[in-house]
PDB file of all heavy atoms in Angstrom:
ATOM      1  N   ALA A   1      -1.774  -2.076   9.666  1.00 90.00           N
ATOM      2  CA  ALA A   1      -0.458  -1.545  10.010  1.00 90.00           C
ATOM      3  C   ALA A   1       0.318  -1.087   8.782  1.00 90.00           C
ATOM      4  O   ALA A   1       0.911   0.001   8.771  1.00 90.00           O
ATOM      5  CB  ALA A   1       0.338  -2.578  10.790  1.00 90.00           C
ATOM      6  N   MET A   2       0.332  -1.915   7.730  1.00 91.00           N
ATOM      7  CA  MET A   2       1.082  -1.536   6.528  1.00 91.00           C
ATOM      8  C   MET A   2       0.510  -0.280   5.882  1.00 91.00           C
ATOM      9  O   MET A   2       1.237   0.619   5.461  1.00 91.00           O
ATOM     10  CB  MET A   2       1.095  -2.686   5.515  1.00 91.00           C
ATOM     11  CG  MET A   2       1.804  -2.359   4.209  1.00 91.00           C
ATOM     12  SD  MET A   2       1.940  -3.751   3.066  1.00 91.00           S
ATOM     13  CE  MET A   2       3.243  -4.694   3.870  1.00 91.00           C
ATOM     14  N   PHE A   3      -0.820  -0.194   5.814  1.00 91.00           N
ATOM     15  CA  PHE A   3      -1.460   0.970   5.193  1.00 91.00           C
ATOM     16  C   PHE A   3      -1.220   2.225   6.018  1.00 91.00           C
ATOM     17  O   PHE A   3      -1.067   3.320   5.463  1.00 91.00           O
ATOM     18  CB  PHE A   3      -2.962   0.695   5.026  1.00 91.00           C
ATOM     19  CG  PHE A   3      -3.262  -0.501   4.176  1.00 91.00           C
ATOM     20  CD1 PHE A   3      -3.702  -1.688   4.748  1.00 91.00           C
ATOM     21  CD2 PHE A   3      -3.065  -0.479   2.799  1.00 91.00           C
ATOM     22  CE1 PHE A   3      -3.975  -2.804   3.970  1.00 91.00           C
ATOM     23  CE2 PHE A   3      -3.327  -1.583   2.016  1.00 91.00           C
ATOM     24  CZ  PHE A   3      -3.773  -2.743   2.591  1.00 91.00           C
ATOM     25  N   GLN A   4      -1.190   2.062   7.328  1.00 92.00           N
ATOM     26  CA  GLN A   4      -0.899   3.214   8.198  1.00 92.00           C
ATOM     27  C   GLN A   4       0.525   3.723   7.988  1.00 92.00           C
ATOM     28  O   GLN A   4       0.782   4.916   8.029  1.00 92.00           O
ATOM     29  CB  GLN A   4      -1.130   2.824   9.663  1.00 92.00           C
ATOM     30  CG  GLN A   4      -2.593   2.605  10.008  1.00 92.00           C
ATOM     31  CD  GLN A   4      -2.780   1.984  11.375  1.00 92.00           C
ATOM     32  OE1 GLN A   4      -1.838   1.475  11.988  1.00 92.00           O
ATOM     33  NE2 GLN A   4      -4.024   2.016  11.875  1.00 92.00           N
ATOM     34  N   MET A   5       1.450   2.796   7.741  1.00 93.00           N
ATOM     35  CA  MET A   5       2.839   3.202   7.463  1.00 93.00           C
ATOM     36  C   MET A   5       2.889   3.962   6.138  1.00 93.00           C
ATOM     37  O   MET A   5       3.599   4.957   6.009  1.00 93.00           O
ATOM     38  CB  MET A   5       3.754   1.988   7.417  1.00 93.00           C
ATOM     39  CG  MET A   5       5.219   2.340   7.240  1.00 93.00           C
ATOM     40  SD  MET A   5       6.278   0.909   6.922  1.00 93.00           S
ATOM     41  CE  MET A   5       5.957   0.625   5.186  1.00 93.00           C
ATOM     42  N   PHE A   6       2.146   3.493   5.130  1.00 93.00           N
ATOM     43  CA  PHE A   6       2.161   4.127   3.815  1.00 93.00           C
ATOM     44  C   PHE A   6       1.577   5.533   3.851  1.00 93.00           C
ATOM     45  O   PHE A   6       1.926   6.401   3.046  1.00 93.00           O
ATOM     46  CB  PHE A   6       1.353   3.297   2.810  1.00 93.00           C
ATOM     47  CG  PHE A   6       2.016   2.014   2.405  1.00 93.00           C
ATOM     48  CD1 PHE A   6       1.264   0.961   1.885  1.00 93.00           C
ATOM     49  CD2 PHE A   6       3.389   1.832   2.541  1.00 93.00           C
ATOM     50  CE1 PHE A   6       1.854  -0.221   1.504  1.00 93.00           C
ATOM     51  CE2 PHE A   6       3.998   0.640   2.154  1.00 93.00           C
ATOM     52  CZ  PHE A   6       3.227  -0.380   1.642  1.00 93.00           C
ATOM     53  N   ASP A   7       0.638   5.780   4.794  1.00 91.00           N
ATOM     54  CA  ASP A   7      -0.062   7.058   4.833  1.00 91.00           C
ATOM     55  C   ASP A   7       0.847   8.261   4.911  1.00 91.00           C
ATOM     56  O   ASP A   7       0.496   9.331   4.385  1.00 91.00           O
ATOM     57  CB  ASP A   7      -1.044   7.095   6.034  1.00 91.00           C
ATOM     58  CG  ASP A   7      -2.301   6.294   5.777  1.00 91.00           C
ATOM     59  OD1 ASP A   7      -2.591   5.972   4.600  1.00 91.00           O
ATOM     60  OD2 ASP A   7      -3.021   5.985   6.747  1.00 91.00           O
ATOM     61  N   VAL A   8       1.993   8.118   5.586  1.00 91.00           N
ATOM     62  CA  VAL A   8       2.870   9.272   5.781  1.00 91.00           C
ATOM     63  C   VAL A   8       4.045   9.274   4.790  1.00 91.00           C
ATOM     64  O   VAL A   8       4.975  10.085   4.917  1.00 91.00           O
ATOM     65  CB  VAL A   8       3.410   9.306   7.224  1.00 91.00           C
ATOM     66  CG1 VAL A   8       2.263   9.556   8.184  1.00 91.00           C
ATOM     67  CG2 VAL A   8       4.130   8.032   7.574  1.00 91.00           C
ATOM     68  N   LEU A   9       4.045   8.341   3.832  1.00 91.00           N
ATOM     69  CA  LEU A   9       5.107   8.283   2.827  1.00 91.00           C
ATOM     70  C   LEU A   9       4.676   8.993   1.559  1.00 91.00           C
ATOM     71  O   LEU A   9       3.476   9.092   1.265  1.00 91.00           O
ATOM     72  CB  LEU A   9       5.458   6.822   2.489  1.00 91.00           C
ATOM     73  CG  LEU A   9       6.003   5.938   3.619  1.00 91.00           C
ATOM     74  CD1 LEU A   9       6.275   4.536   3.095  1.00 91.00           C
ATOM     75  CD2 LEU A   9       7.275   6.533   4.203  1.00 91.00           C
ATOM     76  N   PRO A  10       5.612   9.518   0.774  1.00 91.00           N
ATOM     77  CA  PRO A  10       5.252  10.054  -0.536  1.00 91.00           C
ATOM     78  C   PRO A  10       4.597   8.963  -1.377  1.00 91.00           C
ATOM     79  O   PRO A  10       4.981   7.799  -1.303  1.00 91.00           O
ATOM     80  CB  PRO A  10       6.625  10.451  -1.127  1.00 91.00           C
ATOM     81  CG  PRO A  10       7.509  10.659   0.053  1.00 91.00           C
ATOM     82  CD  PRO A  10       7.045   9.677   1.081  1.00 91.00           C
ATOM     83  N   TYR A  11       3.616   9.331  -2.160  1.00 90.00           N
ATOM     84  CA  TYR A  11       2.859   8.371  -2.992  1.00 90.00           C
ATOM     85  C   TYR A  11       2.190   7.306  -2.147  1.00 90.00           C
ATOM     86  O   TYR A  11       2.029   6.157  -2.574  1.00 90.00           O
ATOM     87  CB  TYR A  11       3.755   7.715  -4.034  1.00 90.00           C
ATOM     88  CG  TYR A  11       4.599   8.682  -4.834  1.00 90.00           C
ATOM     89  CD1 TYR A  11       5.971   8.791  -4.606  1.00 90.00           C
ATOM     90  CD2 TYR A  11       4.009   9.496  -5.820  1.00 90.00           C
ATOM     91  CE1 TYR A  11       6.743   9.697  -5.314  1.00 90.00           C
ATOM     92  CE2 TYR A  11       4.788  10.393  -6.537  1.00 90.00           C
ATOM     93  CZ  TYR A  11       6.144  10.492  -6.282  1.00 90.00           C
ATOM     94  OH  TYR A  11       6.900  11.398  -7.001  1.00 90.00           O
ATOM     95  N   GLY A  12       1.806   7.676  -0.921  1.00 89.00           N
ATOM     96  CA  GLY A  12       1.247   6.704  -0.013  1.00 89.00           C
ATOM     97  C   GLY A  12      -0.027   6.044  -0.549  1.00 89.00           C
ATOM     98  O   GLY A  12      -0.217   4.835  -0.370  1.00 89.00           O
ATOM     99  N   SER A  13      -0.886   6.805  -1.221  1.00 90.00           N
ATOM    100  CA  SER A  13      -2.127   6.226  -1.763  1.00 90.00           C
ATOM    101  C   SER A  13      -1.821   5.194  -2.836  1.00 90.00           C
ATOM    102  O   SER A  13      -2.439   4.137  -2.900  1.00 90.00           O
ATOM    103  CB  SER A  13      -3.010   7.339  -2.329  1.00 90.00           C
ATOM    104  OG  SER A  13      -3.429   8.227  -1.308  1.00 90.00           O
ATOM    105  N   LEU A  14      -0.827   5.514  -3.687  1.00 93.00           N
ATOM    106  CA  LEU A  14      -0.444   4.573  -4.736  1.00 93.00           C
ATOM    107  C   LEU A  14       0.129   3.310  -4.133  1.00 93.00           C
ATOM    108  O   LEU A  14      -0.210   2.186  -4.574  1.00 93.00           O
ATOM    109  CB  LEU A  14       0.595   5.224  -5.671  1.00 93.00           C
ATOM    110  CG  LEU A  14       1.170   4.324  -6.779  1.00 93.00           C
ATOM    111  CD1 LEU A  14       0.058   3.814  -7.686  1.00 93.00           C
ATOM    112  CD2 LEU A  14       2.241   5.052  -7.573  1.00 93.00           C
ATOM    113  N   LEU A  15       0.953   3.446  -3.099  1.00 92.00           N
ATOM    114  CA  LEU A  15       1.515   2.258  -2.445  1.00 92.00           C
ATOM    115  C   LEU A  15       0.423   1.397  -1.820  1.00 92.00           C
ATOM    116  O   LEU A  15       0.468   0.158  -1.894  1.00 92.00           O
ATOM    117  CB  LEU A  15       2.503   2.706  -1.342  1.00 92.00           C
ATOM    118  CG  LEU A  15       3.783   3.416  -1.805  1.00 92.00           C
ATOM    119  CD1 LEU A  15       4.556   3.931  -0.604  1.00 92.00           C
ATOM    120  CD2 LEU A  15       4.649   2.491  -2.631  1.00 92.00           C
ATOM    121  N   SER A  16      -0.581   2.041  -1.237  1.00 91.00           N
ATOM    122  CA  SER A  16      -1.682   1.278  -0.630  1.00 91.00           C
ATOM    123  C   SER A  16      -2.495   0.533  -1.666  1.00 91.00           C
ATOM    124  O   SER A  16      -2.906  -0.607  -1.444  1.00 91.00           O
ATOM    125  CB  SER A  16      -2.592   2.238   0.162  1.00 91.00           C
ATOM    126  OG  SER A  16      -1.927   2.758   1.294  1.00 91.00           O
ATOM    127  N   ILE A  17      -2.716   1.165  -2.818  1.00 91.00           N
ATOM    128  CA  ILE A  17      -3.473   0.497  -3.881  1.00 91.00           C
ATOM    129  C   ILE A  17      -2.697  -0.722  -4.391  1.00 91.00           C
ATOM    130  O   ILE A  17      -3.261  -1.811  -4.587  1.00 91.00           O
ATOM    131  CB  ILE A  17      -3.740   1.485  -5.044  1.00 91.00           C
ATOM    132  CG1 ILE A  17      -4.729   2.567  -4.598  1.00 91.00           C
ATOM    133  CG2 ILE A  17      -4.291   0.751  -6.275  1.00 91.00           C
ATOM    134  CD1 ILE A  17      -4.917   3.702  -5.591  1.00 91.00           C
ATOM    135  N   ILE A  18      -1.373  -0.560  -4.598  1.00 91.00           N
ATOM    136  CA  ILE A  18      -0.566  -1.698  -5.025  1.00 91.00           C
ATOM    137  C   ILE A  18      -0.599  -2.786  -3.982  1.00 91.00           C
ATOM    138  O   ILE A  18      -0.690  -3.994  -4.325  1.00 91.00           O
ATOM    139  CB  ILE A  18       0.910  -1.238  -5.276  1.00 91.00           C
ATOM    140  CG1 ILE A  18       0.963  -0.253  -6.446  1.00 91.00           C
ATOM    141  CG2 ILE A  18       1.812  -2.436  -5.548  1.00 91.00           C
ATOM    142  CD1 ILE A  18       2.344   0.372  -6.637  1.00 91.00           C
ATOM    143  N   ALA A  19      -0.566  -2.431  -2.705  1.00 89.00           N
ATOM    144  CA  ALA A  19      -0.586  -3.419  -1.635  1.00 89.00           C
ATOM    145  C   ALA A  19      -1.901  -4.197  -1.620  1.00 89.00           C
ATOM    146  O   ALA A  19      -1.901  -5.435  -1.434  1.00 89.00           O
ATOM    147  CB  ALA A  19      -0.370  -2.751  -0.279  1.00 89.00           C
ATOM    148  N   VAL A  20      -3.020  -3.522  -1.835  1.00 87.00           N
ATOM    149  CA  VAL A  20      -4.323  -4.211  -1.882  1.00 87.00           C
ATOM    150  C   VAL A  20      -4.346  -5.196  -3.036  1.00 87.00           C
ATOM    151  O   VAL A  20      -4.783  -6.352  -2.884  1.00 87.00           O
ATOM    152  CB  VAL A  20      -5.471  -3.190  -2.017  1.00 87.00           C
ATOM    153  CG1 VAL A  20      -6.773  -3.907  -2.313  1.00 87.00           C
ATOM    154  CG2 VAL A  20      -5.625  -2.367  -0.740  1.00 87.00           C
ATOM    155  N   VAL A  21      -3.863  -4.770  -4.205  1.00 86.00           N
ATOM    156  CA  VAL A  21      -3.814  -5.642  -5.367  1.00 86.00           C
ATOM    157  C   VAL A  21      -2.941  -6.862  -5.085  1.00 86.00           C
ATOM    158  O   VAL A  21      -3.300  -7.994  -5.398  1.00 86.00           O
ATOM    159  CB  VAL A  21      -3.300  -4.898  -6.607  1.00 86.00           C
ATOM    160  CG1 VAL A  21      -3.057  -5.863  -7.768  1.00 86.00           C
ATOM    161  CG2 VAL A  21      -4.279  -3.816  -7.035  1.00 86.00           C
ATOM    162  N   LEU A  22      -1.802  -6.616  -4.455  1.00 85.00           N
ATOM    163  CA  LEU A  22      -0.868  -7.711  -4.165  1.00 85.00           C
ATOM    164  C   LEU A  22      -1.467  -8.697  -3.184  1.00 85.00           C
ATOM    165  O   LEU A  22      -1.298  -9.917  -3.345  1.00 85.00           O
ATOM    166  CB  LEU A  22       0.434  -7.134  -3.614  1.00 85.00           C
ATOM    167  CG  LEU A  22       1.609  -8.094  -3.446  1.00 85.00           C
ATOM    168  CD1 LEU A  22       1.939  -8.781  -4.754  1.00 85.00           C
ATOM    169  CD2 LEU A  22       2.840  -7.339  -2.932  1.00 85.00           C
ATOM    170  N   VAL A  23      -2.170  -8.212  -2.165  1.00 83.00           N
ATOM    171  CA  VAL A  23      -2.819  -9.108  -1.215  1.00 83.00           C
ATOM    172  C   VAL A  23      -3.804 -10.016  -1.937  1.00 83.00           C
ATOM    173  O   VAL A  23      -3.825 -11.233  -1.728  1.00 83.00           O
ATOM    174  CB  VAL A  23      -3.547  -8.293  -0.123  1.00 83.00           C
ATOM    175  CG1 VAL A  23      -4.493  -9.189   0.680  1.00 83.00           C
ATOM    176  CG2 VAL A  23      -2.535  -7.652   0.830  1.00 83.00           C
ATOM    177  N   LEU A  24      -4.601  -9.459  -2.836  1.00 83.00           N
ATOM    178  CA  LEU A  24      -5.598 -10.227  -3.559  1.00 83.00           C
ATOM    179  C   LEU A  24      -4.931 -11.267  -4.464  1.00 83.00           C
ATOM    180  O   LEU A  24      -5.389 -12.418  -4.563  1.00 83.00           O
ATOM    181  CB  LEU A  24      -6.494  -9.304  -4.362  1.00 83.00           C
ATOM    182  CG  LEU A  24      -7.394  -8.363  -3.535  1.00 83.00           C
ATOM    183  CD1 LEU A  24      -8.146  -7.406  -4.446  1.00 83.00           C
ATOM    184  CD2 LEU A  24      -8.381  -9.163  -2.692  1.00 83.00           C
ATOM    185  N   VAL A  25      -3.865 -10.874  -5.151  1.00 82.00           N
ATOM    186  CA  VAL A  25      -3.201 -11.810  -6.069  1.00 82.00           C
ATOM    187  C   VAL A  25      -2.517 -12.942  -5.290  1.00 82.00           C
ATOM    188  O   VAL A  25      -2.536 -14.087  -5.718  1.00 82.00           O
ATOM    189  CB  VAL A  25      -2.174 -11.073  -6.951  1.00 82.00           C
ATOM    190  CG1 VAL A  25      -1.454 -12.047  -7.877  1.00 82.00           C
ATOM    191  CG2 VAL A  25      -2.864 -10.009  -7.791  1.00 82.00           C
ATOM    192  N   PHE A  26      -1.930 -12.612  -4.137  1.00 79.00           N
ATOM    193  CA  PHE A  26      -1.365 -13.661  -3.295  1.00 79.00           C
ATOM    194  C   PHE A  26      -2.427 -14.658  -2.831  1.00 79.00           C
ATOM    195  O   PHE A  26      -2.195 -15.862  -2.752  1.00 79.00           O
ATOM    196  CB  PHE A  26      -0.670 -13.062  -2.070  1.00 79.00           C
ATOM    197  CG  PHE A  26       0.778 -12.752  -2.268  1.00 79.00           C
ATOM    198  CD1 PHE A  26       1.290 -11.496  -1.951  1.00 79.00           C
ATOM    199  CD2 PHE A  26       1.645 -13.702  -2.786  1.00 79.00           C
ATOM    200  CE1 PHE A  26       2.637 -11.209  -2.142  1.00 79.00           C
ATOM    201  CE2 PHE A  26       2.997 -13.424  -2.959  1.00 79.00           C
ATOM    202  CZ  PHE A  26       3.489 -12.171  -2.638  1.00 79.00           C
TER     203      PHE A  26
END
């Protein structure tokens, strides 16, 4: 769901990469 929301935002790919990193660090 979060990645789907990012898809239509500016810099969506960058936001998704940061989100993946954050999930792993958490």
Side-chain angles (χ1 to χ4, degrees):
M2 177 175 285
F3 300 106
Q4 291 170 346
M5 185 189 79
F6 289 158
D7 282 345
V8 295
L9 297 180
Y11 310 106
S13 296
L14 176 60
L15 294 173
S16 292
I17 291 172
I18 294 173
V20 169
V21 171
L22 189 56
V23 167
L24 294 174
V25 178
F26 269 129

